[in-house]
Amino acid sequence: MFAVEVDNLRKEFFRRDAARTHMRKRRRRVAALEDVTFTMERGECLAILGQNGSGKSTLVRLLSTLLLPDGGTATIFGHDVVRDSRSVQRLVNRVSVEASFFKKMSSEENLSYAARFYGMGPTETREKIPRILSRVGFPRDRKHEGMEHLSRGMQQKVALARALLTSPVLLLLDEPTTGLDPRSKLEVQDFIREVRRTHDATILLCTHDLQEAEILADRIGILDRGRLIALASADELKERYKADTLEDAFFSATGRSFEEEDEDAERGVFA
Amino acid sequence: MSVVPGPSSSLRHEAVSFAGVVERNWYLIKRYGWWELAFFFWSLANTLTIVFIAKGIKAAGGQIDVNRATTTLLIGAVIWSFLGLVFEFMTETVAWERWEGTIEYTFMAPIRRPVHLAGVGIFAVLYGVLRSAVLFVVIALMFGLHMPDANFLAAAIVLAIASISFMGIGTMTSVLPLISPEKGAQLGFIAQGTLLVISGVYYPVSVLPGWMQWLSTISPATYALRGIRHAILDGAGITSLWGDIWPLIIIGVIAFPLGVWIFKQGEIYAKKHGKLKRSG
Ligand SMILES: Nc1ncnc2c1ncn2[C@@H]1O[C@H](COP(=O)(O)OP(=O)(O)OP(=O)(O)O)[C@@H](O)[C@H]1O
Ligand SMILES: [Mg+2]
């Protein structure tokens, strides 16, 4: 059985046009994800590369039951994300770009709130939370401080701790290092590597960072305007596109440069 | 290979999740402690504007039993404040989570929605009861009100049963911030006002026009207000309050599951159209 099996997955959103016709704002369906198909083995780390608005977060949300697909199927260890969402929810956790916590509550309080929904009682969290916080390198003496007083890097570490606390079999990382300073970024990356070593976790990592993808992932998928246009190891990608670097491979695959974050008028990037 | 825990741990799981909601709200109230005090003074002032009316009528030469009229008004005003707290708290929980962005984490967690919503609702009710009780006592002391016959236990039982319906209505209103985060939270006030105006909050239902009287029969607040007044002013016990209790049970049994169902529809809509996300 595959850890993740995605088949022809499709998601559309309504988008309002700026222009009005007949006094009414037109609404169009725009596909954020189109016919995406892939599988992941248990224990694998797969990186998804894509520009802003390419559909990375949409894919993560579909896999974490936060969005309902408009077509196709996705299963996590054999459980369908729509029909068997509760089983999926027990298996999955996620870290997103934004840490998302109750700002006034402390890291400890935020973590125990999150853990309760996974059936972890006070005895369990009293023991596990300090341990996991120290593993992500969170200073002990700050665990009673409100989240609003912590730096972004620190908050992101707490977010990682929140995700790991529930021992997910599938960990969805949506740009976990975006916006972090180089040092925090390295710390978070180190930690992801450690998680791979010590936990039996399958990781889907969405990122803008080519280097991050190359050092952390077994295989790299390129998502372009909602379509998965390539999926292979970094070396295979370079070979296939006759490129020296992953960046050149990405350029050849998508037909444009990775840095060129053009506002794609047709798709309407407002993510 | 089975990675999903079996059903044996399921009941414990629900109990822990339920406690988690209550615990979280407690943390938040603790952190915003001084605001609690500020809001208490606001509800005190609000309630006083109503409760003085009885003395005002007397001063204007009206024939009125001031003690009884003041108590009647006080009960109405305290229920008004109670419903406001419950609805606001319930809508606020969703609005707040949307604002902080934690809603995505809550909605991707393996928690049953009825358990989640019951946790929110029960906390809201307990918190509302506590604050309303303090409000009631403070004003009763200020006015030196006599309630020699009062059966407070019976009044509390009526309120507890009515609260199941109030939780149901609160759940219905809390779906709105899911769909419209900016304005949705205001709807708690609309529900509170509409419900109370048809339920005889400061007057007997009999003074209402016919169509409003008809509506009052399906409003749980009607039976709550009448039952509580009967218990506090006339010392009625549970047996003589039965006429108000059985409709409350029926409305409650319908309202809470209906509320959860409506919330579920809102959740499906939000997941179809990507309304849960804030950014990223
Ligand atoms: N909730 C939503 N409502 C409407 N449109 C959405 C929603 N979420 C995503 N979209 C649209 O779907 C497309 C893909 O967005 P998505 O957030 O998945 O991209 P992304 O690859 O994660 O981008 P970024 O790198 O900016 O995070 C974009 O055009 C975006 O505008
Ligand atoms: Mg994204």
Side-chain angles (χ1 to χ4, degrees):
Chain A
M1 183 184 10
F2 289 110
V4 178
E5 196 170 356
V6 171
D7 187 35
N8 274 308
L9 200 60
R10 182 181 175 80
K11 182 70 207 167
E12 295 167 346
F13 290 110
F14 277 116
R15 204 184 131 219
R16 247 184 216 109
D17 283 340
R20 286 161 186 262
T21 41
H22 308 299
M23 301 296 287
R24 283 186 58 206
K25 281 201 175 174
R26 269 183 302 158
R27 287 207 312 171
R28 275 192 302 150
R29 280 177 162 275
V30 180
L33 223 50
E34 275 183 274
D35 306 328
V36 170
T37 302
F38 69 94
T39 56
M40 280 175 78
E41 296 288 344
R42 185 172 191 151
E44 186 185 10
C45 177
L46 174 67
I48 299 284
L49 283 176
Q51 290 175 302
N52 289 135
S54 55
K56 303 184 295 298
S57 302
T58 302
L59 176 62
V60 165
R61 289 197 172 93
L62 285 164
L63 295 181
S64 49
T65 75
L66 289 168
L67 283 175
L68 294 169
D70 293 312
T73 57
T75 56
I76 313 286
F77 288 95
H79 300 284
D80 187 276
V81 292
V82 179
R83 273 172 299 144
D84 200 3
S85 58
R86 249 176 66 94
S87 301
V88 170
Q89 287 165 348
R90 290 187 209 202
L91 300 175
V92 173
N93 216 326
R94 150 175 178 263
V95 176
S96 55
V97 208
E98 230 185 310
S100 304
F101 287 107
F102 286 94
K103 286 189 269 304
K104 292 273 176 208
M105 276 161 50
S106 71
S107 52
E108 211 173 30
E109 289 169 344
N110 268 295
L111 290 187
S112 57
Y113 171 55
R116 297 287 179 266
F117 286 175
Y118 291 79
M120 296 168 73
T123 342
E124 201 176 345
T125 48
R126 252 197 304 278
E127 184 241 333
K128 271 195 173 168
I129 289 173
R131 208 173 54 200
I132 211 140
L133 279 176
S134 77
R135 266 189 64 198
V136 295
F138 185 84
R140 253 190 119 106
D141 52 325
R142 304 193 67 180
K143 66 176 184 188
H144 297 301
E145 246 173 83
M147 292 300 293
E148 58 187 350
H149 303 298
L150 305 176
S151 68
R152 268 224 356 99
M154 206 68 94
Q155 290 193 19
Q156 204 60 347
K157 285 180 191 170
V158 182
L160 269 169
R162 168 173 59 194
L164 286 175
L165 190 58
T166 66
S167 313
V169 206
L170 175 66
L171 190 56
L172 302 167
L173 304 175
D174 190 1
E175 302 182 35
T177 62
T178 299
L180 298 188
D181 65 42
R183 196 196 137 115
S184 307
K185 195 168 187 162
L186 281 182
E187 281 174 354
V188 169
Q189 289 171 352
D190 274 345
F191 187 69
I192 294 171
R193 245 188 308 239
E194 194 205 314
V195 169
R196 283 206 67 192
R197 255 199 329 271
T198 54
H199 280 253
D200 170 33
T202 309
I203 299 178
L204 183 76
L205 167 74
C206 294
T207 182
H208 283 146
D209 189 325
L210 294 145
Q211 206 193 349
E212 182 170 289
E214 202 163 359
I215 57 172
L216 292 175
D218 303 312
R219 283 191 302 157
I220 294 172
I222 296 175
L223 198 58
D224 184 50
R225 292 181 255 194
R227 290 181 180 278
L228 190 66
I229 54 174
L231 178 61
S233 72
D235 290 335
E236 281 167 349
L237 285 177
K238 286 182 212 165
E239 201 174 313
R240 183 182 313 168
Y241 295 103
K242 312 220 173 343
D244 293 333
T245 62
L246 193 58
E247 187 171 352
D248 291 339
F250 185 89
F251 177 69
S252 309
T254 60
R256 52 209 157 127
S257 122
F258 193 68
E259 304 298 337
E260 176 194 315
E261 309 246 293
D262 60 334
E263 285 283 298
D264 193 335
E266 191 48 41
R267 281 175 55 74
V269 179
F270 50 80
Chain B
M1 177 207 62
S2 171
V3 273
V4 180
S8 57
S9 60
S10 165
L11 201 67
R12 203 193 89 89
H13 182 140
E14 306 302 341
V16 169
S17 311
F18 176 85
V21 182
V22 175
E23 183 184 339
R24 196 278 317 263
N25 289 329
W26 166 244
Y27 291 147
L28 286 174
I29 286 201
K30 213 170 61 177
R31 298 274 170 173
Y32 291 91
W34 287 105
W35 288 107
E36 292 299 308
L37 208 62
F39 280 121
F40 181 75
F41 278 105
W42 175 74
S43 37
L44 190 65
N46 251 345
T47 310
L48 283 174
T49 58
I50 302 295
V51 176
F52 273 118
I53 290 175
K55 286 195 173 180
I57 292 173
K58 176 108 179 167
Q63 290 298 309
I64 189 173
D65 174 350
V66 173
N67 188 67
R68 194 178 168 91
T70 304
T71 310
T72 305
L73 288 174
L74 177 58
I75 292 168
V78 166
I79 294 292
W80 179 282
S81 138
F82 172 74
L83 275 190
L85 284 169
V86 171
F87 293 166
E88 191 190 331
F89 201 95
M90 293 192 77
T91 35
E92 182 79 329
T93 330
V94 171
W96 203 334
E97 288 225 22
R98 273 214 57 149
W99 167 250
E100 300 273 30
T102 52
I103 191 127
E104 285 201 323
Y105 291 90
T106 303
F107 276 33
M108 64 179 274
I111 179 175
R112 279 185 211 284
R113 208 52 68 213
V115 173
H116 178 200
L117 294 170
V120 173
I122 287 175
F123 188 90
V125 166
L126 290 177
Y127 165 80
V129 163
L130 202 73
R131 267 192 44 182
S132 309
V134 175
L135 186 66
F136 185 87
V137 171
V138 168
I139 292 185
L141 289 175
M142 272 178 76
F143 283 74
L145 293 178
H146 301 293
M147 292 170 246
D149 303 319
N151 186 343
F152 289 112
L153 182 67
I157 290 171
V158 171
L159 186 64
I161 297 169
S163 292
I164 303 170
S165 312
F166 297 153
M167 276 166 54
I169 299 165
T171 306
M172 294 173 203
T173 59
S174 67
V175 79
L176 283 132
L178 215 55
I179 293 160
S180 167
E182 298 83 8
K183 295 286 173 207
Q186 315 298 325
L187 213 97
F189 299 120
I190 302 178
Q192 175 198 20
T194 320
L195 203 60
L196 287 168
V197 75
I198 58 168
S199 305
V201 61
Y202 302 124
Y203 37 79
V205 171
S206 56
V207 306
L208 294 172
W211 63 274
M212 278 179 134
Q213 282 195 37
W214 182 84
L215 283 176
S216 78
T217 59
I218 56 166
S219 161
T222 306
Y223 306 100
L225 283 159
R226 198 166 59 199
I228 290 170
R229 283 192 173 124
H230 204 31
I232 290 180
L233 292 169
D234 313 319
I238 293 299
T239 25
S240 49
L241 291 173
W242 182 244
D244 290 317
I245 290 176
W246 70 261
L248 282 177
I249 295 175
I250 291 177
I251 297 171
V253 163
I254 297 169
F256 189 68
L258 183 66
V260 173
W261 183 82
I262 290 176
F263 193 92
K264 198 77 201 158
Q265 302 313 304
E267 184 177 341
I268 291 171
Y269 173 85
K271 285 183 171 180
K272 262 217 124 15
H273 299 281
K275 298 287 185 190
L276 294 177
K277 84 164 198 168
R278 243 189 90 209
S279 57

